């Protein structure tokens, strides 16, 4: 009896396993000294022994025993599927792999963690690195498996195992890196474990740089096999039950029932109370309000009438017949049905049916045959929503439960389709449109652009919380990618997206009122409305109109009866219905090829490619400046250039760079700049990975990628993500600062100090975004700088370090020696050397500063014969000698003539002195031919002034005798006096 009473005072436990794998069962008192009569130790089961699922090891008998109803056992395993809180043994560690400048941890990540959300565990949404850690000791080889949802590759999700020395266990990449799941789908990942201590890590790291919220990773149902024996069964948690003994799991209680812990059955809720599936208790039903019902439009009846009906949201949890409750509104009046959508006709029973092939209708009349020379414009055009089109489906999905799986996510409402009620605010309300493929019609065959079809829809969101609308596409049923998303309330607007691949595609609109896990309908009034959906060039589409086409093939003179496709770059002549090639340097820019005006002239400084599908620069440019033509050869800049800007940092401290790839000119018009995302390739050990693995790749004239460096992030290589096209259309190149509404903003860069003007290359991207209603545009300013290399150097404005100030217009400056004009004869001058040894050298030198490149070369140095004395010097010396001789001759002449006059005068004076009277006038001169006497003695030598006076008087009075006589008389007086 004492032994029996003592039995409740102790319990059994196994000792540690010895080297042979054996162990002993020993009894241990629950409190020291409480029991002295303990059973002796006995040999226990083998260390690797474990019971199967649904049973536990009864230690007193060491036999496997089935679990009682209301409990469960995994045998040698552990299962974690309750996430009201993080279970014991789990730890959430937040860190930041990029440490601060002094090696310290960045404190911004201290609040990041995995968050329990009831039936699943949710990862962090930021760029912090958060690890969920669990340590387990396995007695034998086992495994770990977990169910997960990983819809957004902007978060890295990896799972790895370490041993007790913190050494990472050998794993393949498929085991470590988790595969991305489609939106809303759960997948299971299993990894084998070795015996001993295993430390399990679920690690997430956000790589998104920007304000957009990412979708978190979700975990549920973590199961570990290979642990030690299970000596007891686990009771079912409240709200769950296990009806039979030997269960390996528990089941959730149905709606409007509840259960307590360890229940083998569920109890119905009291009257006026309700519960949802798996609830541990019931709640009182509230009075009905406007949030508890919704309206629908009935299908057209045989009379072509429809009416509005109101229905309770299921499951109905409210009560109508109590104070404060609202009643379900009465059915609306019967009204005429809206017309059929374009391409459909109204049948006799008031249903809309698609028009037969080759016919068209605007939806109000019967289908009509397309006239000769035209073809139907095939597509989908939905603008009336009386019934959901047959190629569209709607559904409801919740990541945490299946309560809304059988509900409609959207409801038709006459002139629009709107989101439905769902079961809770964090449901995804899904609307999908399946397109089997695209076909470019014969009338558009001359266009060779990359657009096979285009979807355009008009929508509006009305929200009071953090709602979000996702527009997604699934190509060839492989994976769903988000094309664009809108958060919060958005006014009525249009969005358009081009399909660049001829493939089957499913477009999906998913609306979520809030991304917080709320099991209530607080924001039931938050809704999205889609007014119209228009899709072009669909294979099995219907026609609302007809389009003119070509009937005369290119090399034929006879018109056929059916449309013929035109070659690439050809338009349809309006008069002859013949295919005609577009004129040179024009391109088919619109979405029609009828008439020559469909061929649009290329912009300045651009030419068209062979197919006339786009314009581009052939790397040549000319400009007339001051009556001089400048010719530029930019072929050295034709290769794709890369510019890396950064680093920048997010609010959490993640370092990232912006990478721009630029294709300025050449390549025959091909958009040679390619940007790719390598997110899915990071786990691949082979650096030479196939480009087909990339999730996203864009080709453009200018594209941008966001790069997260590999240093310090724990990744094998740098991460490239968010690749976008900034320039898929070349507008033109000009020295002007504005072209087609795009401004080069010259004030953003340092002023050009050279005499050579800048060349501005203008680009645009027609793909609109949530922030750029008109799409993005880019300007590359090419500047002559002789100090740079031929390839030159790219830069962005210092005031806009990301290359853009508004996120929509990007500016680049490309300084290069190749951007200088080609050299001409005006760019150098001649220098002539001195004449040395009868040889003169001539040199040619460039004008300084030299602002040209290539082109003409400097003429070689030349030599020419020359004389030591220059011609001008010869002429000067000769002229001087002639003047000197002339002066000497004149001097001699006048000197001789003066001598004669002096002689005559002296004879006259002497004659007067001898006779004391004046001689006769005719006796004073020499007879003709008489030579003067050389032996004349002057009585008085007149002065030079007197001589000149005498000469002057002689010239004035014609040598009159009276003058001589007067002077002679005067002389007498002088002598006599």
């Amino acid at each position: 009896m004492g032994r029996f009473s003592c039995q409740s005072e102790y319990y059994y436990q196994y000792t540690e396993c010895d080297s042979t794998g054996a162990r002993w069962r020993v009894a241990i008192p629950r409190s020291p000294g409480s029991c002295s009569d303990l059973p002796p130790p006995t040999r226990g089961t083998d260390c690797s022994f474990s019971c199967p699922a649904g049973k536990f090891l009864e230690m007193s008998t060491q036999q496997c025993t089935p679990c009682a109803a209301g409990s469960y056992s995994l045998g040698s395993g552990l299962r974690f599927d309750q996430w009201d809180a993080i279970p014991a043994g789990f730890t959430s560690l937040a860190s930041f792999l990029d440490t601060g400048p002094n090696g310290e941890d960045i404190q911004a990540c201290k609040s990041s963690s995995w968050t329990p959300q009831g039936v699943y565990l949710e990862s962090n949404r930021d760029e912090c690195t958060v690890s969920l850690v669990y340590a387990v000791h396995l007695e034998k080889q086992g495994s770990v498996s977990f169910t997960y949802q990983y819809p957004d590759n902007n978060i890295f999700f990896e799972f790895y195992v370490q041993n007790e020395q913190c050494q990472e266990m050998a794993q393949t990449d498929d085991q470590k890196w988790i595969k991305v799941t489609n939106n809303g789908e759960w997948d299971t990942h299993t990894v084998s474990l070795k015996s001993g201590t295993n430390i399990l890590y679920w690690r997430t790291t956000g790589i998104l740089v920007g304000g957009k919220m990412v979708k978190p990773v979700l975990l549920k149902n973590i199961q570990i096999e290979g642990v030690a024996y299970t000596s007891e069964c686990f009771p079912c948690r409240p709200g769950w039950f296990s009806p039979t003994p030997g269960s390996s799991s528990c089941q959730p209680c149905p709606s409007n029932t509840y259960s307590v812990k360890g229940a083998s059955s569920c109890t119905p809720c009291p009257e006026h109370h309700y519960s949802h599936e798996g609830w541990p208790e019931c709640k009182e039903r509230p009075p009905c309000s406007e949030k508890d019902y919704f309206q629908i439009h009935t299908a057209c009846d045989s009379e072509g009438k429809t009416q509005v009906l109101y229905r309770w949201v299921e499951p109905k949890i409210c009560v109508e017949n109590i104070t404060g409750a609202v009643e379900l509104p009465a059915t609306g009046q019967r009204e005429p049905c809206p017309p059929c959508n374009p391409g459909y006709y109204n049948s006799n029973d008031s249903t809309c049916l698609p028009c037969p092939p080759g016919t068209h209708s605007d939806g109000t009349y019967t289908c009509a045959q397309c006239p000769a020379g035209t073809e139907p414009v095939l597509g989908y055009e939905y603008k009336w929503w009386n019934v959901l089109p047959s190629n569209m489906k709607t559904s409801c999905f919740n990541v945490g439960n299946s309560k809304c799986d059988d509900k409609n996510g959207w409801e038709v409402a006459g002139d629009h389709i709107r989101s439905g009620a769902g079961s809770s605010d964090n449901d995804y309300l899904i609307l999908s449109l399946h397109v089997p493929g695209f076909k470019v019609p014969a009338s558009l065959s001359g266009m060779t652009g990359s657009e096979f079809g285009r979807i355009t829809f008009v929508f509006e969101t009305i929200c009071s919380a953090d709602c979000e609308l996702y527009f997604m596409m699934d190509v060839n049923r492989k994976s769903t990618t988000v094309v664009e998303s809108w958060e919060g309330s958005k006014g009525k607007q249009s969005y358009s997206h081009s399909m660049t691949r001829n493939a089957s595609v499913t477009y999906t609109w998913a609306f979520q009122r809030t991304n917080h896990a709320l099991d209530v309908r607080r924001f039931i009034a938050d809704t999205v409305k889609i007014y119209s959906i228009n899709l072009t060039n669909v294979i099995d589409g219907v026609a609302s109109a007809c389009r003119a086409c070509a009937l005369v093939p290119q090399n034929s003179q006879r018109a056929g009866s059916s449309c013929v496709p035109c070659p690439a770059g050809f338009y349809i002549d309006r008069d002859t219905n013949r295919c005609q090639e577009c004129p040179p340097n024009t391109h088919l820019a619109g979405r029609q090829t009828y008439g020559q005006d469909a061929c649009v002239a290329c912009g300045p400084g651009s030419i068209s490619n062979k197919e006339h599908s786009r314009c581009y620069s052939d790397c040549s440019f000319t400009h007339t400046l001051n009556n001089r033509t400048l010719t530029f050869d930019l072929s050295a800049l034709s290769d794709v250039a890369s510019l890396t800007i950064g680093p920048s940092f997010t609010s959490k401290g993640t370092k990232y760079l912006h990478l721009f790839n630029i294709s300025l000119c050449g390549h025959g018009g091909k958009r040679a700049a390619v940007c790719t995302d390598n997110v899915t390739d990071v786990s691949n050990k082979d650096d030479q990975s196939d480009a087909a693995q990339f999730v996203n790749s864009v080709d453009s004239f200018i594209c941008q990628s966001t790069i997260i460096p590999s240093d310090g992030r724990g990744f094998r290589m740098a991460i490239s993500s968010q690749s976008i096209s900034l320039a898929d259309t070349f507008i033109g190149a000009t020295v002007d600062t504005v072209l087609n509404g795009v401004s080069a903003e010259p004030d953003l860069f340092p002023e050009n100090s050279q005499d050579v003007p800048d060349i501005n290359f203008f680009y645009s991207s027609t793909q609109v975004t949530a922030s750029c209603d008109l799409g993005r545009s880019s300007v590359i300013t090419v500047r002559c700088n002789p100090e740079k290399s031929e390839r030159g150097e790219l830069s962005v404005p210092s005031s806009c370090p990301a290359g853009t100030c508004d996120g929509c217009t990007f500016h680049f400056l490309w300084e290069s020696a190749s951007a200088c004009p080609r050299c001409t004869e005006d760019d150098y001058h001649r220098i002539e050397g001195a004449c040395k040894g009868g040889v003169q050298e001539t040199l040619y030198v460039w004008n300084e500063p030299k602002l040209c490149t290539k082109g003409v070369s400097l003429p070689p140095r030349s030599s020419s014969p020359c004389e030591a004395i220059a011609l001008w010097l010869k002429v000067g010396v000769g002229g001087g000698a002639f003047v000197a001789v002339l002066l000497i001759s004149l001097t001699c002449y006048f000197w001789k003539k003066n001598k004669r006059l002096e002689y005559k005068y002296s004879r006259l004076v002497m004659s007067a002195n001898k006779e004391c009277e004046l001689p006769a006038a005719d006796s004073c001169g020499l007879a003709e031919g008489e030579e003067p006497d050389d032996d004349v003695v002057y009585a008085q030598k007149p002065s030079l002034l007197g001589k000149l006076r005498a000469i002057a008087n002689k010239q004035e009075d014609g040598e009159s005798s009276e003058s001589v006589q007067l002077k002679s008389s005067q002389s007498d007086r002088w002598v006599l006096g």
Side-chain angles (χ1 to χ4, degrees):
M1 184 67 183
R3 180 179 177 88
F4 177 79
S5 61
C6 188
Q7 190 171 4
S8 61
E9 302 295 330
Y10 64 89
Y11 62 94
Y12 290 109
Q13 186 171 332
Y14 283 127
T15 62
E16 291 290 333
C17 296
D18 58 21
S19 58
T20 62
R23 57 186 174 183
W24 294 80
R25 187 196 69 175
V26 296
I28 300 176
R30 299 186 183 278
S31 58
S34 61
C35 186
S36 58
D37 189 12
L38 294 175
T42 59
R43 182 172 291 275
T45 59
D46 189 79
C47 285
S48 61
F49 175 83
S50 61
C51 293
K55 296 184 177 182
F56 71 101
L57 183 64
E58 172 61 54
M59 291 296 288
S60 60
T61 61
Q62 298 195 67
Q63 299 291 324
C64 290
T65 306
C67 292
S71 64
Y72 73 97
S73 167
L74 296 176
S76 62
L78 297 174
R79 179 187 294 152
F80 302 95
D81 57 2
Q82 304 176 26
W83 303 102
D84 297 315
I86 294 184
F90 282 87
T91 305
S92 183
L93 299 177
S95 63
F96 198 83
L97 295 182
D98 280 340
T99 55
N102 299 321
E104 74 277 5
D105 284 338
I106 296 179
Q107 299 298 315
C109 291
K110 295 301 182 183
S111 61
S112 298
S113 68
W114 286 78
T115 307
Q117 299 287 4
V119 294
Y120 59 85
L121 191 64
E122 182 179 288
S123 76
N124 60 312
R125 298 167 181 255
D126 52 32
E127 60 265 35
C128 297
T129 298
V130 182
S131 298
L132 181 70
V133 186
Y134 184 75
V136 62
H137 185 84
L138 300 188
E139 297 293 344
K140 58 181 179 178
Q141 287 189 346
S143 64
V144 57
S145 64
F146 54 90
T147 306
Y148 70 95
Q149 191 175 123
Y150 178 26
D152 193 341
N153 57 23
N154 283 312
I155 287 184
F156 272 123
F157 180 32
E158 56 182 326
F159 173 77
Y160 60 96
V161 183
Q162 291 183 349
N163 60 20
E164 54 191 356
Q165 284 81 33
C166 294
Q167 296 172 331
E168 190 168 331
M169 310 286 270
Q171 287 179 268
T172 64
D173 289 327
D174 289 340
Q175 292 176 323
K176 181 174 181 179
W177 298 93
I178 311 300
K179 294 181 180 179
V180 176
T181 61
N182 288 334
N183 191 37
E185 293 185 2
W186 293 93
D187 203 351
T188 301
H189 188 75
T190 303
V191 174
S192 299
L193 300 177
K194 294 182 178 180
S195 60
T197 299
N198 292 263
I199 306 174
L200 313 179
Y201 289 85
W202 291 265
R203 187 166 76 172
T204 57
T205 304
I207 63 168
L208 185 68
V209 289
K212 183 171 289 188
M213 187 76 73
V214 299
K215 295 181 180 179
V217 175
L218 307 181
L219 282 181
K220 69 175 183 179
N221 293 343
I222 299 176
Q223 187 161 325
I224 302 173
E225 297 288 344
V227 297
Y229 62 92
T230 301
S231 60
E232 60 180 346
C233 295
F234 300 99
C236 294
R237 60 171 170 160
W240 295 63
F241 72 104
S242 171
T244 58
S247 297
S248 60
S249 63
C250 299
Q251 307 171 26
C253 287
S255 297
N256 297 321
T257 64
Y258 72 100
S259 70
V260 296
K261 185 177 181 179
S264 59
S265 63
C266 299
T267 305
C269 290
E271 186 180 3
H272 300 313
H273 286 70
Y274 77 99
S275 71
H276 288 312
E277 182 183 75
W279 275 20
E281 60 182 359
C282 298
K283 294 183 179 180
E284 186 177 358
R285 293 182 180 271
C288 291
S289 66
E290 290 81 0
K291 297 181 179 181
D292 293 305
Y293 63 81
F294 62 97
Q295 71 174 28
I296 62 171
H297 284 67
T298 62
C300 287
D301 56 22
S302 58
E303 299 178 3
K305 301 286 187 178
T306 183
Q307 60 185 152
V308 175
L309 297 180
Y310 295 90
R311 292 180 177 174
W312 295 111
V313 175
E314 295 295 339
K316 181 184 176 185
I317 62 173
C318 65
V319 181
E320 301 176 59
N321 52 359
I322 61 175
T323 305
V326 299
E327 295 181 353
L328 196 66
T331 302
Q333 295 293 324
R334 295 177 71 234
E335 298 176 352
C337 287
C340 295
N341 280 310
Y344 289 80
Y345 70 96
N346 200 329
S347 64
N348 293 330
D349 58 353
S350 298
T351 59
C352 294
L353 299 176
C355 287
T359 63
H360 70 285
S361 170
D362 62 357
T364 58
Y365 301 101
T366 59
C367 303
Q369 198 76 24
C370 282
T374 65
E375 65 177 348
V377 182
L378 298 180
Y380 301 145
E381 186 177 354
Y382 301 136
K383 59 181 182 180
W384 300 109
W385 303 93
N386 185 248
V387 293
L388 195 66
S390 59
N391 57 355
M392 298 187 72
K393 294 181 180 180
T394 178
S395 60
C396 181
F397 164 77
N398 191 295
V399 295
N401 56 63
S402 59
K403 290 185 293 185
C404 80
D405 288 357
D406 57 346
K407 292 182 172 57
N408 286 340
W410 294 62
E411 300 287 347
V412 294
D415 63 345
H416 66 274
I417 184 171
R418 61 189 298 160
S419 55
S423 63
S424 57
D425 284 342
N426 66 334
D427 292 340
Y428 283 100
L429 307 173
I430 296 172
L431 177 69
S432 62
L433 167 62
H434 180 67
V435 181
F438 299 87
K439 180 183 180 182
V440 177
S443 56
L444 298 181
S445 58
M447 304 179 65
T448 58
S450 57
E451 180 175 303
F452 287 91
R454 177 173 290 269
I455 184 171
T456 305
F457 59 92
V458 178
F459 72 98
E460 176 186 22
T461 57
I462 304 170
C463 299
S464 59
D466 58 335
C467 73
E468 187 161 10
L469 173 65
Y470 298 92
F471 174 59
M472 302 174 287
M473 58 186 293
D474 177 1
V475 179
N476 291 332
R477 301 184 182 275
K478 289 187 177 180
S479 63
T480 303
T481 58
V482 177
V483 178
E484 188 62 81
S485 62
W486 298 267
E487 299 177 8
S489 292
K490 298 293 179 184
K492 190 175 181 180
Q493 58 185 275
S494 174
Y495 180 79
S496 182
H497 180 74
S498 175
M499 183 63 184
T500 57
R501 295 173 57 188
N502 190 6
S504 170
V505 61
T506 298
Y507 295 105
T508 301
W509 294 263
F511 180 69
Q512 189 181 35
R513 294 188 178 93
T514 178
N515 56 28
H516 299 291
L518 298 175
D519 202 12
V520 293
R521 287 194 298 265
R522 185 184 308 168
F523 307 114
I524 190 69
D526 293 4
T527 184
V528 56
K529 299 179 180 180
I530 294 181
Y531 293 93
S532 65
I533 300 175
N534 194 344
L535 195 58
T536 62
N537 301 345
V538 182
I539 287 179
D540 65 346
V542 293
S544 61
C546 301
R547 183 191 291 120
C549 63
L551 298 177
V552 185
Q554 178 189 4
N555 298 319
S556 174
Q557 299 298 324
R558 298 181 58 185
S561 59
S562 60
C563 296
V564 295
C566 289
F570 282 63
Y571 69 95
I572 304 170
D573 187 87
R574 295 181 187 271
D575 299 326
T576 64
N577 276 18
R578 180 188 298 273
C579 298
Q580 298 283 357
E581 185 175 6
C582 282
N585 296 331
T586 63
H587 67 297
L588 293 167
R591 295 191 175 92
Q592 55 92 19
T593 62
Y594 190 61
Q596 187 172 345
D597 53 358
C599 304
V600 181
C602 292
S606 65
I607 62 174
S608 64
N609 59 358
K610 293 181 180 179
E611 296 81 14
H612 296 276
S613 61
R614 70 172 63 98
C615 299
Y616 72 101
S617 169
D618 61 354
C619 298
S620 64
F621 183 79
T622 57
H623 174 64
T624 301
L625 179 66
N626 299 329
N627 295 325
R628 179 189 173 194
T629 300
L630 303 178
T631 302
F632 297 83
D633 179 10
L634 305 176
S635 55
L637 308 181
S638 63
D639 290 343
V640 176
S642 295
L643 172 64
T644 302
I645 301 174
S648 300
F649 297 89
T650 65
S651 59
K652 293 286 187 179
T654 295
K655 179 171 67 176
Y656 65 94
L657 310 169
H658 285 309
L659 171 68
F660 297 94
N661 288 333
I662 298 175
S663 174
L664 183 73
C665 59
H667 303 283
K670 178 184 177 183
R671 295 183 289 218
V674 179
C675 295
T676 53
D677 290 351
N678 66 348
V679 170
T680 59
D681 192 51
V682 172
S683 61
N684 194 339
K685 292 294 183 184
D686 184 8
D687 287 336
Q688 305 298 324
S689 57
D690 186 0
Q693 296 178 356
F694 289 122
V695 173
N696 182 31
S697 177
V698 296
D699 59 308
S700 179
F701 291 113
I702 307 173
C703 61
Q704 176 192 10
S705 294
T706 301
I707 306 296
I708 298 181
S710 58
D711 53 320
R713 296 296 286 166
F715 304 131
R716 183 180 57 84
M717 61 182 181
I719 307 304
S720 173
S721 66
Q722 301 178 24
S723 296
I724 57 174
S725 170
L726 305 180
D728 50 31
T729 301
F730 179 55
I731 304 175
T734 175
V735 297
D736 298 332
T737 57
V738 179
L739 184 62
N740 285 13
V742 181
S743 176
E745 304 289 347
D747 295 337
L748 293 176
F749 294 105
E751 186 178 357
N752 184 6
S753 60
Q754 311 291 356
D755 293 333
V756 179
D758 293 338
I759 308 172
N760 296 311
F761 284 71
F762 293 86
Y763 302 86
S764 67
S765 175
T766 56
Q767 185 64 55
V768 300
T769 64
S771 57
C772 304
D773 295 337
L774 301 178
R776 300 182 179 93
S777 57
S778 302
V779 182
I780 303 175
T781 300
V782 178
R783 176 173 295 177
C784 168
N785 190 338
E787 298 178 359
K788 302 292 184 180
S789 64
E790 283 195 350
R791 283 289 291 168
E793 182 179 304
L794 274 164
S795 61
V796 294
S798 57
S799 58
C800 307
T804 178
C805 300
D806 58 3
C808 297
T809 303
F810 291 76
H811 299 273
F812 305 91
L813 176 64
W814 198 337
E815 296 180 278
S816 165
S818 301
C820 299
R822 293 177 67 88
C823 295
T824 64
E825 288 80 358
D826 296 329
D827 292 306
Y828 62 82
H829 59 275
R830 182 176 66 180
I831 299 178
E832 294 180 343
C835 186
K836 295 181 180 180
V839 177
Q840 184 182 38
E841 290 192 346
T842 302
L843 300 176
Y844 297 88
V845 296
W846 295 110
N847 299 334
E848 290 295 337
K850 181 187 177 185
L851 297 176
C852 66
T853 183
K854 299 180 181 179
V856 301
S857 303
L858 281 178
R861 175 183 299 188
S862 61
S863 300
S864 60
C866 66
E867 298 180 5
I869 301 177
L871 178 61
W872 65 270
L873 186 58
K874 293 179 181 179
V875 174
V877 172
F882 174 76
V883 172
V885 171
L886 180 61
L887 291 175
I888 293 172
S889 300
L890 291 175
T891 303
C892 292
Y893 170 75
F894 284 112
W895 179 79
K896 190 172 183 180
K897 192 169 185 179
N898 188 45
K899 282 296 186 180
R900 289 177 180 176
L901 291 176
E902 286 181 350
Y903 176 70
K904 290 178 181 181
Y905 182 74
S906 63
R907 290 290 295 269
L908 180 61
V909 172
M910 289 176 62
S911 175
N913 288 339
K914 288 180 180 180
E915 299 177 3
C916 298
E917 59 181 9
L918 292 172
D922 57 352
S923 64
C924 294
L926 293 176
E928 185 175 354
E930 182 181 359
E931 293 296 329
D933 191 0
D934 293 334
D935 300 326
V936 178
V937 178
Y938 293 96
Q940 181 181 354
K941 188 175 182 180
S943 64
L944 179 59
L945 182 61
K947 295 177 183 179
L948 295 176
R949 283 177 179 172
I951 295 172
N953 291 332
K954 178 180 177 181
Q955 292 175 347
E956 292 174 4
D957 302 327
E959 298 183 4
S960 62
S961 57
E962 292 84 0
S963 175
V964 177
Q965 290 171 355
L966 288 173
K967 291 183 180 179
S968 299
S969 300
Q970 184 67 34
S971 299
D972 271 346
R973 295 190 193 98
W974 290 342
V975 174
L976 295 176

